[in-house]
Amino acid sequence: MKKLLILGSTGSIGINTLELVRTFRDEFEIAGLTVNNNIDLLEKQINEFNPKAVAVKNRLKAAELKNRIGNRCDVMEGEKGLIEITKRDNYDILVTALVGFAGLAPTIEAIKLKKRIALANKETLVVAGEIIIGLCDKYNAELIPVDSEHSAIFQCLIGESKKEIQKLILTASGGPFLNKSKSELENVTIAEALNHPNWKMGNKITIDSATMMNKGLEVIEAFWLFDLPKEGIEVIVHPQSIIHSMVEFKDGSIKAQLSMPDMKLPILYALSFPKRYTFSEVQTDFKKIEQFTFFEPDFDKFVCLKLAYNVIKAGGVAACILNAANEIAVEKFLNGLIKFTKIPELIEDALNGIPNHSGANLETIFEIDRKTRDFVNKKFN
Ligand code: MG
């Protein structure tokens, strides 16, 4: 039995992971779960999966949960609780499905304990890729991507040598605004931006998909995971989201990984690797797929994607600035405070206004993250 600690158990990835645990009762059990606020769903999950410990970020909600469940399991609270539960050495795999920068600190604790990290939180690698990869090497921790594109590339690379890769081809759905013009983007609503054509996901990543920042973050994630120059990472729009990504080798041959879009497959692969478990829930019937189409992404319309390539080139802490500014900008958009097209403008302002520097350590990453959030927030005071 493999024991899982799921950070973010009431989000989309967390819920899908628990469905898999339900399907594979003989393979997996739950050591711990964490949530920000949703203790109603967490209570149901505790009843069903009997974790030894849970962590709730919101302290008031943590106290309420303690009252409800008594001493059925340990309840930790606050940001500290997230670190404490990760430091408990009672699990085999950390499923990190937190949203944003919050994923970084607990992931580092799990790496130090040499755990397998099933990484669904791409921001961890975006803000601190060099440090995280270095720590994984040092502690011999396994980092298995859950992001569907990176899972696809990871699977295509089994049995291959990195030296023989020509390029990685990341596919993108193009999001809900693929067919809107640049000027039409000015007045899109929150509801339109949240209406993703292919994937059901949390709000933050859905907005990131609409701006194509999600793909930008994934280019950065791929840069760190697969150790290629940015020229070696290409994005192609594939609206059907059935090819999850591809690898082209130096002989011109291309490998791809395909399936109907369902996050259960990349999650299951990260949990079962190097094995594959029998699973029939997601079936791909090519007779029912009318067409496969591909387009070049429009960098002029989706400025966020361009900014992501720029920060790889800039190096230093630029990706950390981009990520923090994006998190705040998305929050402002979701709160109705800014237009959709203001998101890349706020990010560009932050990249221009906050000095970049090289040689960052974890402390400076946290400092730059805080500084960038303050910088963007100040515009709204
Ligand atoms: Mg993805």
PDB file of all heavy atoms in Angstrom, residues 303-330:
ATOM      1  N   VAL A 303      -0.499  38.011 -24.715  1.00  0.00           N
ATOM      2  CA  VAL A 303       0.754  38.641 -24.284  1.00  0.00           C
ATOM      3  C   VAL A 303       1.419  37.851 -23.152  1.00  0.00           C
ATOM      4  O   VAL A 303       2.648  37.793 -23.055  1.00  0.00           O
ATOM      5  CB  VAL A 303       0.474  40.095 -23.819  1.00  0.00           C
ATOM      6  CG1 VAL A 303       1.747  40.787 -23.381  1.00  0.00           C
ATOM      7  CG2 VAL A 303      -0.196  40.876 -24.945  1.00  0.00           C
ATOM      8  N   CYS A 304       0.603  37.228 -22.315  1.00  0.00           N
ATOM      9  CA  CYS A 304       1.159  36.485 -21.169  1.00  0.00           C
ATOM     10  C   CYS A 304       2.115  35.384 -21.616  1.00  0.00           C
ATOM     11  O   CYS A 304       3.128  35.123 -20.964  1.00  0.00           O
ATOM     12  CB  CYS A 304       0.030  35.874 -20.332  1.00  0.00           C
ATOM     13  SG  CYS A 304      -0.883  37.087 -19.377  1.00  0.00           S
ATOM     14  N   LEU A 305       1.795  34.750 -22.725  1.00  0.00           N
ATOM     15  CA  LEU A 305       2.652  33.676 -23.231  1.00  0.00           C
ATOM     16  C   LEU A 305       4.018  34.239 -23.651  1.00  0.00           C
ATOM     17  O   LEU A 305       5.069  33.664 -23.361  1.00  0.00           O
ATOM     18  CB  LEU A 305       1.950  32.991 -24.411  1.00  0.00           C
ATOM     19  CG  LEU A 305       2.612  31.769 -25.017  1.00  0.00           C
ATOM     20  CD1 LEU A 305       2.898  30.694 -23.979  1.00  0.00           C
ATOM     21  CD2 LEU A 305       1.749  31.181 -26.138  1.00  0.00           C
ATOM     22  N   LYS A 306       3.960  35.408 -24.276  1.00  0.00           N
ATOM     23  CA  LYS A 306       5.213  36.059 -24.687  1.00  0.00           C
ATOM     24  C   LYS A 306       6.043  36.435 -23.450  1.00  0.00           C
ATOM     25  O   LYS A 306       7.261  36.231 -23.426  1.00  0.00           O
ATOM     26  CB  LYS A 306       4.864  37.321 -25.504  1.00  0.00           C
ATOM     27  CG  LYS A 306       6.042  37.965 -26.178  1.00  0.00           C
ATOM     28  CD  LYS A 306       5.603  39.079 -27.121  1.00  0.00           C
ATOM     29  CE  LYS A 306       5.053  40.255 -26.342  1.00  0.00           C
ATOM     30  NZ  LYS A 306       4.404  41.261 -27.221  1.00  0.00           N
ATOM     31  N   LEU A 307       5.360  36.971 -22.436  1.00  0.00           N
ATOM     32  CA  LEU A 307       6.072  37.372 -21.216  1.00  0.00           C
ATOM     33  C   LEU A 307       6.766  36.177 -20.568  1.00  0.00           C
ATOM     34  O   LEU A 307       7.868  36.296 -20.040  1.00  0.00           O
ATOM     35  CB  LEU A 307       5.099  38.014 -20.214  1.00  0.00           C
ATOM     36  CG  LEU A 307       4.490  39.359 -20.627  1.00  0.00           C
ATOM     37  CD1 LEU A 307       3.464  39.822 -19.596  1.00  0.00           C
ATOM     38  CD2 LEU A 307       5.583  40.419 -20.803  1.00  0.00           C
ATOM     39  N   ALA A 308       6.120  35.012 -20.623  1.00  0.00           N
ATOM     40  CA  ALA A 308       6.714  33.817 -20.008  1.00  0.00           C
ATOM     41  C   ALA A 308       8.011  33.428 -20.731  1.00  0.00           C
ATOM     42  O   ALA A 308       9.013  33.108 -20.087  1.00  0.00           O
ATOM     43  CB  ALA A 308       5.719  32.665 -20.023  1.00  0.00           C
ATOM     44  N   TYR A 309       8.008  33.480 -22.066  1.00  0.00           N
ATOM     45  CA  TYR A 309       9.258  33.206 -22.798  1.00  0.00           C
ATOM     46  C   TYR A 309      10.325  34.249 -22.438  1.00  0.00           C
ATOM     47  O   TYR A 309      11.502  33.926 -22.283  1.00  0.00           O
ATOM     48  CB  TYR A 309       9.002  33.202 -24.314  1.00  0.00           C
ATOM     49  CG  TYR A 309       8.579  31.854 -24.860  1.00  0.00           C
ATOM     50  CD1 TYR A 309       7.253  31.571 -25.133  1.00  0.00           C
ATOM     51  CD2 TYR A 309       9.523  30.861 -25.111  1.00  0.00           C
ATOM     52  CE1 TYR A 309       6.865  30.333 -25.655  1.00  0.00           C
ATOM     53  CE2 TYR A 309       9.157  29.625 -25.627  1.00  0.00           C
ATOM     54  CZ  TYR A 309       7.826  29.360 -25.895  1.00  0.00           C
ATOM     55  OH  TYR A 309       7.466  28.142 -26.405  1.00  0.00           O
ATOM     56  N   ASN A 310       9.882  35.504 -22.303  1.00  0.00           N
ATOM     57  CA  ASN A 310      10.838  36.553 -21.952  1.00  0.00           C
ATOM     58  C   ASN A 310      11.521  36.304 -20.606  1.00  0.00           C
ATOM     59  O   ASN A 310      12.705  36.555 -20.457  1.00  0.00           O
ATOM     60  CB  ASN A 310      10.146  37.922 -21.891  1.00  0.00           C
ATOM     61  CG  ASN A 310       9.737  38.423 -23.268  1.00  0.00           C
ATOM     62  OD1 ASN A 310      10.142  37.849 -24.279  1.00  0.00           O
ATOM     63  ND2 ASN A 310       8.936  39.477 -23.305  1.00  0.00           N
ATOM     64  N   VAL A 311      10.747  35.837 -19.618  1.00  0.00           N
ATOM     65  CA  VAL A 311      11.373  35.675 -18.297  1.00  0.00           C
ATOM     66  C   VAL A 311      12.350  34.501 -18.275  1.00  0.00           C
ATOM     67  O   VAL A 311      13.300  34.513 -17.501  1.00  0.00           O
ATOM     68  CB  VAL A 311      10.354  35.554 -17.132  1.00  0.00           C
ATOM     69  CG1 VAL A 311       9.443  36.752 -17.059  1.00  0.00           C
ATOM     70  CG2 VAL A 311       9.584  34.258 -17.153  1.00  0.00           C
ATOM     71  N   ILE A 312      12.144  33.511 -19.128  1.00  0.00           N
ATOM     72  CA  ILE A 312      13.154  32.431 -19.196  1.00  0.00           C
ATOM     73  C   ILE A 312      14.464  33.023 -19.683  1.00  0.00           C
ATOM     74  O   ILE A 312      15.536  32.756 -19.144  1.00  0.00           O
ATOM     75  CB  ILE A 312      12.712  31.293 -20.141  1.00  0.00           C
ATOM     76  CG1 ILE A 312      11.451  30.618 -19.615  1.00  0.00           C
ATOM     77  CG2 ILE A 312      13.832  30.258 -20.262  1.00  0.00           C
ATOM     78  CD1 ILE A 312      10.983  29.457 -20.491  1.00  0.00           C
ATOM     79  N   LYS A 313      14.352  33.864 -20.695  1.00  0.00           N
ATOM     80  CA  LYS A 313      15.547  34.496 -21.257  1.00  0.00           C
ATOM     81  C   LYS A 313      16.214  35.395 -20.215  1.00  0.00           C
ATOM     82  O   LYS A 313      17.441  35.420 -20.089  1.00  0.00           O
ATOM     83  CB  LYS A 313      15.130  35.319 -22.480  1.00  0.00           C
ATOM     84  CG  LYS A 313      16.293  35.783 -23.308  1.00  0.00           C
ATOM     85  CD  LYS A 313      15.788  36.424 -24.594  1.00  0.00           C
ATOM     86  CE  LYS A 313      16.916  37.183 -25.260  1.00  0.00           C
ATOM     87  NZ  LYS A 313      16.394  38.167 -26.205  1.00  0.00           N
ATOM     88  N   ALA A 314      15.400  36.134 -19.458  1.00  0.00           N
ATOM     89  CA  ALA A 314      15.938  37.067 -18.471  1.00  0.00           C
ATOM     90  C   ALA A 314      16.608  36.327 -17.315  1.00  0.00           C
ATOM     91  O   ALA A 314      17.601  36.789 -16.753  1.00  0.00           O
ATOM     92  CB  ALA A 314      14.816  37.972 -17.939  1.00  0.00           C
ATOM     93  N   GLY A 315      16.088  35.147 -16.948  1.00  0.00           N
ATOM     94  CA  GLY A 315      16.658  34.387 -15.829  1.00  0.00           C
ATOM     95  C   GLY A 315      16.474  35.102 -14.509  1.00  0.00           C
ATOM     96  O   GLY A 315      15.590  35.953 -14.372  1.00  0.00           O
ATOM     97  N   GLY A 316      17.336  34.774 -13.534  1.00  0.00           N
ATOM     98  CA  GLY A 316      17.259  35.403 -12.216  1.00  0.00           C
ATOM     99  C   GLY A 316      15.921  35.143 -11.555  1.00  0.00           C
ATOM    100  O   GLY A 316      15.426  34.008 -11.575  1.00  0.00           O
ATOM    101  N   VAL A 317      15.333  36.212 -10.995  1.00  0.00           N
ATOM    102  CA  VAL A 317      14.058  36.034 -10.285  1.00  0.00           C
ATOM    103  C   VAL A 317      12.869  36.516 -11.118  1.00  0.00           C
ATOM    104  O   VAL A 317      11.763  36.701 -10.597  1.00  0.00           O
ATOM    105  CB  VAL A 317      14.069  36.765  -8.920  1.00  0.00           C
ATOM    106  CG1 VAL A 317      15.035  36.092  -7.959  1.00  0.00           C
ATOM    107  CG2 VAL A 317      14.399  38.239  -9.094  1.00  0.00           C
ATOM    108  N   ALA A 318      13.102  36.718 -12.430  1.00  0.00           N
ATOM    109  CA  ALA A 318      12.034  37.263 -13.276  1.00  0.00           C
ATOM    110  C   ALA A 318      10.788  36.375 -13.280  1.00  0.00           C
ATOM    111  O   ALA A 318       9.655  36.875 -13.246  1.00  0.00           O
ATOM    112  CB  ALA A 318      12.552  37.459 -14.705  1.00  0.00           C
ATOM    113  N   ALA A 319      10.979  35.060 -13.284  1.00  0.00           N
ATOM    114  CA  ALA A 319       9.813  34.162 -13.313  1.00  0.00           C
ATOM    115  C   ALA A 319       9.018  34.261 -12.014  1.00  0.00           C
ATOM    116  O   ALA A 319       7.800  34.126 -12.010  1.00  0.00           O
ATOM    117  CB  ALA A 319      10.258  32.724 -13.552  1.00  0.00           C
ATOM    118  N   CYS A 320       9.728  34.520 -10.930  1.00  0.00           N
ATOM    119  CA  CYS A 320       9.064  34.670  -9.633  1.00  0.00           C
ATOM    120  C   CYS A 320       8.223  35.958  -9.626  1.00  0.00           C
ATOM    121  O   CYS A 320       7.095  35.976  -9.122  1.00  0.00           O
ATOM    122  CB  CYS A 320      10.126  34.690  -8.540  1.00  0.00           C
ATOM    123  SG  CYS A 320       9.450  34.777  -6.888  1.00  0.00           S
ATOM    124  N   ILE A 321       8.762  37.022 -10.222  1.00  0.00           N
ATOM    125  CA  ILE A 321       8.018  38.291 -10.335  1.00  0.00           C
ATOM    126  C   ILE A 321       6.788  38.074 -11.219  1.00  0.00           C
ATOM    127  O   ILE A 321       5.670  38.468 -10.869  1.00  0.00           O
ATOM    128  CB  ILE A 321       8.921  39.396 -10.929  1.00  0.00           C
ATOM    129  CG1 ILE A 321      10.113  39.671  -9.998  1.00  0.00           C
ATOM    130  CG2 ILE A 321       8.122  40.680 -11.191  1.00  0.00           C
ATOM    131  CD1 ILE A 321      11.185  40.580 -10.587  1.00  0.00           C
ATOM    132  N   LEU A 322       6.998  37.430 -12.354  1.00  0.00           N
ATOM    133  CA  LEU A 322       5.884  37.150 -13.267  1.00  0.00           C
ATOM    134  C   LEU A 322       4.781  36.371 -12.553  1.00  0.00           C
ATOM    135  O   LEU A 322       3.598  36.700 -12.649  1.00  0.00           O
ATOM    136  CB  LEU A 322       6.409  36.350 -14.466  1.00  0.00           C
ATOM    137  CG  LEU A 322       5.368  35.731 -15.395  1.00  0.00           C
ATOM    138  CD1 LEU A 322       5.433  36.373 -16.778  1.00  0.00           C
ATOM    139  CD2 LEU A 322       5.530  34.231 -15.528  1.00  0.00           C
ATOM    140  N   ASN A 323       5.181  35.343 -11.813  1.00  0.00           N
ATOM    141  CA  ASN A 323       4.185  34.498 -11.158  1.00  0.00           C
ATOM    142  C   ASN A 323       3.398  35.264 -10.092  1.00  0.00           C
ATOM    143  O   ASN A 323       2.174  35.187 -10.049  1.00  0.00           O
ATOM    144  CB  ASN A 323       4.865  33.275 -10.525  1.00  0.00           C
ATOM    145  CG  ASN A 323       3.861  32.408  -9.805  1.00  0.00           C
ATOM    146  OD1 ASN A 323       3.026  31.758 -10.429  1.00  0.00           O
ATOM    147  ND2 ASN A 323       3.883  32.439  -8.492  1.00  0.00           N
ATOM    148  N   ALA A 324       4.109  36.010  -9.242  1.00  0.00           N
ATOM    149  CA  ALA A 324       3.419  36.729  -8.158  1.00  0.00           C
ATOM    150  C   ALA A 324       2.485  37.788  -8.736  1.00  0.00           C
ATOM    151  O   ALA A 324       1.339  37.939  -8.287  1.00  0.00           O
ATOM    152  CB  ALA A 324       4.450  37.359  -7.221  1.00  0.00           C
ATOM    153  N   ALA A 325       2.957  38.521  -9.736  1.00  0.00           N
ATOM    154  CA  ALA A 325       2.127  39.567 -10.347  1.00  0.00           C
ATOM    155  C   ALA A 325       0.902  38.937 -11.000  1.00  0.00           C
ATOM    156  O   ALA A 325      -0.210  39.472 -10.907  1.00  0.00           O
ATOM    157  CB  ALA A 325       2.943  40.348 -11.373  1.00  0.00           C
ATOM    158  N   ASN A 326       1.097  37.791 -11.615  1.00  0.00           N
ATOM    159  CA  ASN A 326      -0.033  37.103 -12.248  1.00  0.00           C
ATOM    160  C   ASN A 326      -1.055  36.658 -11.203  1.00  0.00           C
ATOM    161  O   ASN A 326      -2.263  36.818 -11.394  1.00  0.00           O
ATOM    162  CB  ASN A 326       0.475  35.903 -13.052  1.00  0.00           C
ATOM    163  CG  ASN A 326      -0.654  35.157 -13.732  1.00  0.00           C
ATOM    164  OD1 ASN A 326      -1.425  35.739 -14.495  1.00  0.00           O
ATOM    165  ND2 ASN A 326      -0.794  33.882 -13.425  1.00  0.00           N
ATOM    166  N   GLU A 327      -0.575  36.113 -10.088  1.00  0.00           N
ATOM    167  CA  GLU A 327      -1.516  35.653  -9.052  1.00  0.00           C
ATOM    168  C   GLU A 327      -2.391  36.811  -8.560  1.00  0.00           C
ATOM    169  O   GLU A 327      -3.598  36.670  -8.399  1.00  0.00           O
ATOM    170  CB  GLU A 327      -0.773  35.010  -7.875  1.00  0.00           C
ATOM    171  CG  GLU A 327      -0.257  33.619  -8.217  1.00  0.00           C
ATOM    172  CD  GLU A 327       0.282  32.842  -7.006  1.00  0.00           C
ATOM    173  OE1 GLU A 327      -0.225  33.026  -5.884  1.00  0.00           O
ATOM    174  OE2 GLU A 327       1.217  32.048  -7.205  1.00  0.00           O
ATOM    175  N   ILE A 328      -1.774  37.960  -8.340  1.00  0.00           N
ATOM    176  CA  ILE A 328      -2.550  39.119  -7.853  1.00  0.00           C
ATOM    177  C   ILE A 328      -3.465  39.635  -8.962  1.00  0.00           C
ATOM    178  O   ILE A 328      -4.644  39.935  -8.718  1.00  0.00           O
ATOM    179  CB  ILE A 328      -1.609  40.252  -7.376  1.00  0.00           C
ATOM    180  CG1 ILE A 328      -0.712  39.753  -6.236  1.00  0.00           C
ATOM    181  CG2 ILE A 328      -2.410  41.473  -6.915  1.00  0.00           C
ATOM    182  CD1 ILE A 328      -1.426  39.354  -4.976  1.00  0.00           C
ATOM    183  N   ALA A 329      -2.960  39.717 -10.180  1.00  0.00           N
ATOM    184  CA  ALA A 329      -3.769  40.228 -11.286  1.00  0.00           C
ATOM    185  C   ALA A 329      -5.000  39.348 -11.520  1.00  0.00           C
ATOM    186  O   ALA A 329      -6.111  39.858 -11.730  1.00  0.00           O
ATOM    187  CB  ALA A 329      -2.921  40.318 -12.556  1.00  0.00           C
ATOM    188  N   VAL A 330      -4.812  38.040 -11.445  1.00  0.00           N
ATOM    189  CA  VAL A 330      -5.946  37.121 -11.642  1.00  0.00           C
ATOM    190  C   VAL A 330      -6.979  37.305 -10.524  1.00  0.00           C
ATOM    191  O   VAL A 330      -8.184  37.330 -10.767  1.00  0.00           O
ATOM    192  CB  VAL A 330      -5.459  35.647 -11.709  1.00  0.00           C
ATOM    193  CG1 VAL A 330      -6.631  34.673 -11.652  1.00  0.00           C
ATOM    194  CG2 VAL A 330      -4.651  35.419 -12.975  1.00  0.00           C
TER     195      VAL A 330
END
